[in-house]
Amino acid sequence: MNKLSPSILQTVSKPARYTGGEVNAIHKDLNTVDCKFALSMPDVYEVGMSNLGLKILYEIINNRTDTAAERVYTPWPDMEGKMRENKIPLYSLESYTPLNEFNFIGFTLQYELSYTNILNMLDLAGIPLFANDRSNDMPFIVGGGPCVYNVEPIADFFDFFILGEGEEVINDVISAFIAWKKETSTCDRHEFLRIAAKIPGIYVPAFYEPHYDENNNFVKITPKYDDIPAVIHKRVLADLDSIPSIEKPIVPFIDIVHDRLMLELFRGCSRGCRFCQAGIIYRPVRERRSETLFKLAEKMIDNTGYDEMSLTSLSSADYSCLPTLIDDLTDKYAGQKMSFSLPSLRIDSFSIDIAHKLQATRKSGLTFAPEAGTQRLRDVINKGVTEENLLDSCSAAFKHGWKTVKLYFMMGLPTETDEDIIGIADLAQKVVNLYKNIKNRRDVKVTVSVSCFVPKPYTPFQWFGQNTQEEFKRKQRLLKDTIKDKAINFNYHDSATSSLEGIIARGDRRLAKVIYNAYKNGAKFDGWSEMFNNDIWMQAFADANIETAPYNLRQREFAENLPWDHTSPGVNKQFLINEYKKAAAEQLTPDCRRGSCTGCGICQELDVAVTDWGEK
Amino acid sequence: MTIFRIEISKKESLRYISHLDYANLLQRCIRRAKLPAAYSEGFNPHMKVSFASALALGVTTDAEYADIELTRDMCQPEFFDKLSSALPEGIQLLQAKKLNTEHPKSMNALADTAVYELIMPEDISSELINDAITKFNAASSITFTRQRRGKKAQKGRIVKKDIDIKNYVAVPLQYNDETHCLLLKLKVSPNGSIKPIEVLESIKNDHIADLDIFAVLINRKALLSQGQPLINISPR
Ligand code: SF4
């Protein structure tokens, strides 16, 4: 057990990040369990503690009497410095146990730019960075989360990955481990990995061999053994409603990014936006029953004392029983100063009415995501929203008293022209004018936030060549020059960061060298704009002798094998190709949630079905 | 409407929690305990809980005080048990008193002395400490330059101000060899006070250069009004 001296904790920022002991944290005697599982997000405490998936796994694992789950996040550089100076190895927040004493360390992979933090954390824990350098007494390093649909760039650092929803498979892995530990005579980690590789949803990268041609192009990746699958499909819960969920979330002492309860209404989104990875990888849509949700909400509120709850999902307004659930909750908690919110709003008046009802006490700004500036481009990306929808919603919002609206867009989408960029400015201007007409006042604020589009694996745009940084910058300037009204606030993302994200997102195994080089040269917290250093990364590519353009800028062929084809959410490739073609033809694809199946193939491949408690 | 005055502790496991976070924690406990807490009116209603003092991050205490306003009356044992059972490790409810007034005098104005116990780092010898406090106690005035980050017009700058520490020390410092503890009684008043860490800094500057002031464990043992713990003082 580590002992942290007061002189360290007194001199770092936010020491409560490192001391644990929060309400509902679970403390077990690690000497009495068969398996010790560290759960981590490679980011600072306030970000990691906000992650829904980790909260779920923490409770699921700790429900087992034979296993303990404990948490660890990335120390901020001031603390990292103190730890290195005082030779304090990275430790878990519950029992202060050094990480290398755990059996598993699970990292949730939420965004590519957190990868260097993983290496830094392994190093702080005294664990070899490359999986094949680890000895038998070392923990297994496990990855999960949305980035597993292309983990090739970090494959060399991990022992295995879990694809898809973790609730069931985590138990499969732990049970297999405990059984193996009791039987094994060798303790050879390879032996366990062979067992793990046969569990559905588990990808052991060391057992798959990538092949390249004489020009150094990726050709294919193949399994080294006959008894493991060539393609690993994600795990998915057939009956979400019956699976235990969070009841006693940890209540942090300090303010975290999402400092409220999260009630997960449903998983998946089938609106079919063509740029959106979440829209594919979490399919099919499966709702919880409103009675189940109500009970979960009661338990969480009773167990934590929180006064705020977010009704989360990819598109919460789509929940079939939303009005009933909200009525039940607001009735029950009337007079208790409990506030409920929706994280995302659909662009329609139904959503505004709900938001109005919920935000009776707190009138913060409203956020909409039209994503593209013209109807043509919105059709290309299958964002089924019209200018009329947006203006109607804004008009309803203004009438209810809102005067701040945030609009999210992307630039660099397929088929985009300058007209589409100018369209963003026009749309924002129309919103401003609408307010002036309705209210006869000028005190409106419209924030236009534009990110640089990063094509992601397993989306219809996975073949699309990303815009160059110069092109992004030119479009940003164009938009900036087009926006004239002082009521419009323009924010945009750094193109260098998006470019790097684009390279890693569609990278292959050879990028491990680059990520390693970047880490060695000091890259950390790359997702934090004040910490991101593009020069380090460019040097890392140069030192590894790897060109970036083939990864992010190149338009790929439909026929070529992709480095991530073997770690699949179950979607049919032909469906994605058809969607790309329909995008080019500006044709829409309807939502399969309440309409008929549009053929993405996930339900058939994984033997699951859409669950929606509303009227078909 | 009923107001309870409580005496609570902030123990080791909450040492590194700021006052604001400690206050939030208590409010969530009150909600978990399902006490009928009163809220302010307006856009962002907040729970009507007021603290006697703001304890610095890094300081524990056996004597923190807060007034909690309730919308309906309840008996003391019920209040005590409900709140006690909702408190996590690190906070203990020591006493609770139902106040006999709806407009209690602010505890801030009542408190005149804070008593601190400081566990000194092992690498600092008793001789050094004894020597230092003898000199400290003998001095008629001790100038300390307080440095604070500027506010408003001076934002971004470090503002320096000379103060005489002796003005804030209620009785001479005492040191216990056996426990390696320094006892500090500091005056508090609405016109200003000094923090124990500032006294330590001054001792370091003047007498014990090797003292790592952040390694000292500070605990506030009591908050007094005319020699009495605040909880015993009439609120009227
Ligand atoms: S298989 Fe059909 S119903 Fe299922 S998610 Fe895909 S499109 Fe929707």
Side-chain angles (χ1 to χ4, degrees), chain A residues 80 84 116-125 519 524:
Chain A
E80 184 201 331
R84 290 192 185 278
T116 52
N117 276 7
I118 298 176
L119 300 190
N120 203 12
M121 287 174 77
L122 291 177
D123 184 62
L124 266 174
Y519 148 75
K524 60 181 80 164

Side-chain angles (χ1 to χ4, degrees), chain B residues 31-51:
Chain B
R31 291 181 68 89
R32 273 203 304 278
K34 302 214 165 117
L35 296 172
Y39 286 83
S40 65
E41 300 293 319
F43 237 36
N44 264 317
H46 58 264
M47 200 185 276
K48 289 189 175 169
V49 176
S50 52
F51 280 83

Side-chain angles (χ1 to χ4, degrees), chain A residues 283-284 592 597-604 610:
Chain A
R283 279 184 190 211
C592 66
C597 173
T598 53
C600 83
I602 294 183
C603 291
Q604 296 76 14
V610 170

Side-chain angles (χ1 to χ4, degrees), chain B residues 138-206:
Chain B
S140 57
S141 87
I142 299 172
T143 308
F144 174 75
T145 310
R146 172 178 278 165
Q147 304 197 17
R148 281 193 179 159
R149 239 170 260 145
K151 288 185 188 137
K152 291 183 184 153
Q154 294 181 304
K155 203 166 172 178
R157 267 184 281 167
I158 299 286
V159 184
K160 292 188 181 177
K161 192 184 162 197
D162 281 347
I163 50 170
D164 183 356
I165 287 199
K166 295 291 273 194
N167 286 343
Y168 299 99
V169 179
V171 298
L173 309 191
Q174 295 160 30
Y175 169 69
N176 182 329
D177 270 87
E178 253 149 56
T179 55
H180 206 37
C181 274
L182 203 58
L183 196 73
L184 215 60
K185 290 192 183 177
L186 300 179
K187 291 181 202 166
V188 286
S189 83
N191 315 326
S193 53
I194 191 159
K195 292 184 191 155
I197 197 92
E198 292 175 315
V199 176
L200 285 170
E201 205 178 327
S202 140
I203 291 178
K204 177 188 169 76
N205 292 344
D206 298 348

Side-chain angles (χ1 to χ4, degrees), chain B residues 29-229:
Chain B
C29 295
I30 293 170
R31 291 181 68 89
R32 273 203 304 278
K34 302 214 165 117
L35 296 172
Y39 286 83
S40 65
E41 300 293 319
F43 237 36
N44 264 317
H46 58 264
M47 200 185 276
K48 289 189 175 169
V49 176
S50 52
F51 280 83
S53 68
L55 211 56
L57 187 147
V59 180
T60 58
T61 184
D62 303 315
E64 181 61 275
Y65 298 93
D67 285 346
I68 302 171
E69 190 179 317
L70 304 180
T71 53
R72 65 173 167 79
D73 194 22
M74 67 198 300
C75 64
Q76 194 274 353
E78 186 191 358
F79 175 88
F80 191 93
D81 291 347
K82 279 195 168 161
L83 185 54
S84 279
S85 60
L87 297 178
E89 191 187 304
I91 306 190
Q92 210 188 338
L93 179 58
L94 303 167
Q95 295 194 62
K97 277 193 172 178
K98 197 193 288 188
L99 301 187
N100 52 9
T101 168
E102 295 201 348
H103 303 285
K105 261 194 222 160
S106 122
M107 288 188 286
N108 241 322
L110 286 173
D112 56 31
T113 311
V115 183
Y116 292 94
E117 193 175 57
L118 281 54
I119 305 178
M120 303 300 283
E122 277 166 24
D123 63 344
I124 303 294
S125 72
S126 299
E127 291 76 57
L128 268 178
I129 300 172
N130 273 319
D131 191 45
I133 65 163
T134 310
K135 287 180 189 147
F136 184 97
N137 288 337
S140 57
S141 87
I142 299 172
T143 308
F144 174 75
T145 310
R146 172 178 278 165
Q147 304 197 17
R148 281 193 179 159
R149 239 170 260 145
K151 288 185 188 137
K152 291 183 184 153
Q154 294 181 304
K155 203 166 172 178
R157 267 184 281 167
I158 299 286
V159 184
K160 292 188 181 177
K161 192 184 162 197
D162 281 347
I163 50 170
D164 183 356
I165 287 199
K166 295 291 273 194
N167 286 343
Y168 299 99
V169 179
V171 298
L173 309 191
Q174 295 160 30
Y175 169 69
N176 182 329
D177 270 87
E178 253 149 56
T179 55
H180 206 37
C181 274
L182 203 58
L183 196 73
L184 215 60
K185 290 192 183 177
L186 300 179
K187 291 181 202 166
V188 286
S189 83
N191 315 326
S193 53
I194 191 159
K195 292 184 191 155
I197 197 92
E198 292 175 315
V199 176
L200 285 170
E201 205 178 327
S202 140
I203 291 178
K204 177 188 169 76
N205 292 344
D206 298 348
H207 308 294
I208 315 180
D210 286 341
L211 176 65
D212 176 359
I213 58 171
F214 295 117
V216 178
L217 294 174
I218 306 173
N219 180 50
R220 188 173 73 200
K221 282 181 74 72
L223 194 57
L224 308 173
S225 174
Q226 299 175 344
Q228 286 288 318

